[in-house]
């Protein structure tokens, strides 16, 4: 369900319309064909991508979510036993659309490229090569490159109204854009060209080049890498020679696809300094590469239903209660004229109703509504002072917890405001922190509702 509407007193704290990310028009637009969720690791990209995919599907679009998340939370959230390199239909989706999900199998995607661009005999040689198996399973940048390869494959099929991409959980958000170029540079680089030169020259010239020109280099590499590894690399390079140019060509084609008008980037971050610094770098990089940025999703933002009670006032009230409950204090009660006490009596800061405190303290919950402790001469009357002290201690503890929450809100607000001051053109959607992990479609639906609610969790300016 969507969160409750913001109270009237919080209306002044809303972000200005120019800075609010409106998610539904983005998802509903038939011209939007790709949404890329990017950001540093651990900020909720997978959950955001899945929630956006579910919301778009329930609004009538045929959607596939491509995730590169080794924790496999997406499969659990979508009720699928396992995800693989093939899109699988998600059950339980409301509305007229469809939702499919898949998890990038990096090695399988690499294998598909080899099988598509080499004859059967050469493909078998490559796939069985030990160096290829290491490269396809974990070479730096391979995962990001294969994510772009798979995105290009999905888009070329033209089967989906919308493709939502959960980018790899890299140390840096920029790896998604940089790694494909790095891998392409490696495969097209000087070392590869040297290793393929003998095969290209052929005959005696090739043998002469190998024996004279490369003997020193291969000898050195053999000492550094080991003779067998060097042999595996040379065999791999010779077999892959016809496909090297294709890597850079496809990477360039997918890069242009990411720059196309039908693509929208959503930078996902948490209200923390490092995550928003990474988000700022990514925003600047996207602008430099002419890639379309839709906005920033700020996840796990903390809020408070009693934001009018500042941390300072809450701590002052807690201290006053401690002094009032101290047996050594001759007053032994809260002075109703004390400003700290008045904090708690101000309307809309804390509940003024009696609530269920009387019932909780009553020894006869199911009997008379009037507590026996309130009867003159009853044994409970002798314990009234102790009960009052315990209530005051509990209240003081709650006030300190509230003060900690308000201090957290203040830090998150300052961090958010620094980012928006640096990039005022970036629209922002804030999603409140949840008490637990999202583990089903209902949880993803709730995240989608929060994304589309246009309700900022953080105030626009700090309370006095």
């Amino acid at each position: 369900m969507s969160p409750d509407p913001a109270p009237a007193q919080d209306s002044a704290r809303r972000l200005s319309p120019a800075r609010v990310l409106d998610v539904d028009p983005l998802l509903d637009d038939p011209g939007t064909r790709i949404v890329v969720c990017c950001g540093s690791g651990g900020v909720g990209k997978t959950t955001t991508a899945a929630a956006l995919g579910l919301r778009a599907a329930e609004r009538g679009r045929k959607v596939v979510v491509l995730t590169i998340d080794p924790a496999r939370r997406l499969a659990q959230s979508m009720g699928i036993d396992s995800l693989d390199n093939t899109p699988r239909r998600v059950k339980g989706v409301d509305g007229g659309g469809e939702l499919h999900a898949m998890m990038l199998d990096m090695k399988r995607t690499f294998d598909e490229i080899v099988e598509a661009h080499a004859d059967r005999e050469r493909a078998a040689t490559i796939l069985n090569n030990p160096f290829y198996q290491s490269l396809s399973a974990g070479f730096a940048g391979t995962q990001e490159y294969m994510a772009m390869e798979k995105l290009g494959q999905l888009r070329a099929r033209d089967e989906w109204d919308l493709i939502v991409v959960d980018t790899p959980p890299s140390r840096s958000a920029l790896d998604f854009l940089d790694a494909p170029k790095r891998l392409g540079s490696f495969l097209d680089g000087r070392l590869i060209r040297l290793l393929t030169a003998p095969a290209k020259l052929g005959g005696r010239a090739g043998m002469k080049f190998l024996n004279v020109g490369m003997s020193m280099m291969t000898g050195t590499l053999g000492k550094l890498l080991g003779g067998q590894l060097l042999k595996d690399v040379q065999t791999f390079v010779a077999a892959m020679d016809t496909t090297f140019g294709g890597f850079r060509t496809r990477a360039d084609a997918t890069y242009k696809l990411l720059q196309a008008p039908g693509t929208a980037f959503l930078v996902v971050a948490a209200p923390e300094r490092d995550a928003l610094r990474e988000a700022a770098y990514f925003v600047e990089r996207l602008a430099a590469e002419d890639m379309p940025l839709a906005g920033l999703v700020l996840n796990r933002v903390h809020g408070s239903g009693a934001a009018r009670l500042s941390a300072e006032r809450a701590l002052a009230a807690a201290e006053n209660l401690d002094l009032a409950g101290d047996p050594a204090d001759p007053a032994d009660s809260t002075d109703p004229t004390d400003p700290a006490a008045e904090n708690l009596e101000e309307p809309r800061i804390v509940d003024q109703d009696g609530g269920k405190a009387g019932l909780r303290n009553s020894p006869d919950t199911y009997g008379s509504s009037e507590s026996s402790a309130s009867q003159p001469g009853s044994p409970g009357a002798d314990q009234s002072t102790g009960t009052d002290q315990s209530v005051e201690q509990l209240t003081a503890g709650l006030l300190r917890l509230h003060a900690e929450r308000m201090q957290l809100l203040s830090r998150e607000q300052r961090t958010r405001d620094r980012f928006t001051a640096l990039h005022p053109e970036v629209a922002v959607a804030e999603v409140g922190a949840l008490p637990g992990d999202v583990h089903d479609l209902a949880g993803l639906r709730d995240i989608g509702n929060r994304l589309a609610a246009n309700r900022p969790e953080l105030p626009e300016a700090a309370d006095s």
Side-chain angles (χ1 to χ4, degrees):
M1 295 179 62
S2 176
D4 296 334
Q9 65 267 24
D10 290 342
S11 60
R13 297 172 178 164
R14 290 181 175 277
L15 294 172
S16 61
R19 295 169 58 198
V20 171
L21 173 61
D22 205 350
V23 171
D24 284 343
L26 175 69
L27 299 179
D28 294 343
D29 184 359
T32 303
R33 303 298 302 275
I34 298 173
V35 172
V36 181
C37 296
C38 53
S40 57
V43 296
K45 291 193 306 290
T46 300
T47 302
T48 299
L52 290 169
L54 176 62
R55 188 168 185 85
E58 294 190 333
R59 296 176 71 86
R61 305 195 73 183
K62 186 176 181 181
V63 184
V64 60
V65 176
L66 169 63
T67 184
I68 307 95
D69 179 22
R72 298 181 180 250
R73 293 189 305 273
L74 182 63
Q76 181 184 12
S77 297
M78 294 188 168
I80 299 175
D81 293 337
S82 63
L83 293 178
D84 54 25
N85 224 33
T86 302
R88 296 178 180 270
R89 179 82 176 266
V90 178
K91 299 178 181 179
V93 177
D94 300 332
E98 295 180 11
L99 178 61
H100 300 249
M102 63 182 296
M103 178 177 290
L104 177 72
D105 185 330
M106 181 175 61
K107 187 178 186 309
R108 183 57 201 150
T109 301
F110 211 149
D111 292 349
E112 291 172 355
I113 297 171
V114 172
E115 293 167 351
H117 296 87
D119 57 56
R120 182 176 298 179
E121 182 178 353
R122 181 170 292 189
T125 301
I126 296 170
L127 297 178
N128 293 324
N129 182 275
F131 178 74
Y132 167 78
Q133 292 174 358
S134 298
L135 174 69
S136 60
F139 190 80
T142 306
Q143 188 178 54
E144 287 80 2
Y145 180 92
M146 293 307 153
M148 296 184 74
E149 280 277 356
K150 183 56 67 176
L151 172 59
Q153 293 174 11
L154 292 172
R155 185 66 183 88
R157 289 166 60 177
D158 202 26
E159 182 179 349
W160 318 99
D161 297 335
L162 179 64
I163 302 169
V164 181
V165 182
D166 164 33
T167 57
S170 307
R171 181 190 62 81
S172 169
L174 299 177
D175 286 349
F176 180 65
L177 297 179
D178 290 334
K181 288 186 175 181
R182 289 201 302 268
L183 182 61
S185 297
F186 165 75
L187 294 175
D188 291 341
R190 181 177 300 177
L191 175 62
I192 297 297
R193 292 199 301 270
L194 286 172
L195 292 173
T196 56
K200 291 181 178 180
L201 290 174
R204 294 181 180 178
M207 292 302 296
K208 182 178 180 181
F209 179 86
L210 177 62
N211 292 332
V212 178
M214 298 211 29
S215 59
M216 293 181 62
M217 185 191 76
T218 55
T220 302
L221 287 174
K223 292 178 181 178
L224 293 174
L225 304 178
Q228 185 58 48
L229 176 57
L230 179 60
K231 183 178 179 180
D232 292 338
V233 171
Q234 289 175 318
T235 303
F236 163 75
V237 168
M240 284 285 288
D241 181 43
T242 58
T243 66
F244 282 151
F247 280 94
R248 182 174 293 279
T249 300
R250 287 189 299 275
D252 290 343
T254 306
Y255 215 74
K256 291 179 180 178
L257 179 63
L258 294 176
Q259 294 174 319
T263 300
F265 279 83
L266 286 175
V267 178
V268 184
E272 301 165 2
R273 184 180 60 182
D274 291 343
L276 278 173
R277 182 186 294 119
E278 195 77 21
Y281 292 155
F282 206 93
V283 166
E284 293 164 5
R285 174 66 183 277
L286 290 174
E289 299 288 341
D290 294 324
M291 292 188 176
L293 173 64
L296 171 74
V297 175
L298 198 58
N299 268 334
R300 302 169 186 166
V301 178
H302 293 86
S304 173
R308 293 187 62 201
L309 180 59
S310 68
E312 294 77 10
R313 296 166 69 190
L315 289 173
E319 183 177 357
N320 181 269
L321 286 171
D322 286 340
L323 293 174
D326 186 349
D329 190 333
D332 202 28
S333 63
T334 303
D335 182 357
T337 64
D338 187 275
E342 292 176 359
N343 287 339
L344 303 180
E345 297 179 1
E346 187 175 337
R348 293 190 296 270
I349 286 185
V350 295
D351 290 339
Q352 301 299 317
D353 298 332
K356 296 182 180 180
L359 293 178
R360 285 195 299 269
N361 294 331
S362 173
D364 186 19
T365 302
Y366 299 100
S368 170
S369 61
E370 185 176 352
S371 173
S372 61
S374 64
Q375 300 297 325
S378 66
D382 296 333
Q383 303 174 6
S384 60
T385 301
T387 301
D388 290 343
Q389 289 179 354
S390 65
V391 170
E392 288 173 350
Q393 291 172 355
L394 176 60
T395 303
L398 292 174
L399 285 167
R400 289 191 175 89
L401 287 176
H402 175 76
E404 292 178 4
R405 170 57 64 90
M406 294 307 298
Q407 290 167 350
L408 174 62
L409 262 65
S410 179
R411 288 196 300 271
E412 292 183 353
Q413 179 186 342
R414 290 194 301 270
T415 305
R416 191 275 317 272
D417 289 347
R418 280 195 293 268
F419 175 87
T420 55
L422 183 64
H423 296 285
E425 76 284 358
V426 177
V428 179
E430 296 179 13
V431 181
L434 299 178
D437 293 334
V438 175
H439 55 81
D440 54 19
L441 287 183
L444 291 176
R445 194 173 288 118
D446 180 38
I447 293 294
N449 290 337
R450 291 168 182 262
L451 275 168
N454 291 341
R455 176 190 174 184
E457 300 287 333
L458 292 173
E460 188 65 1
D463 288 338
S464 59

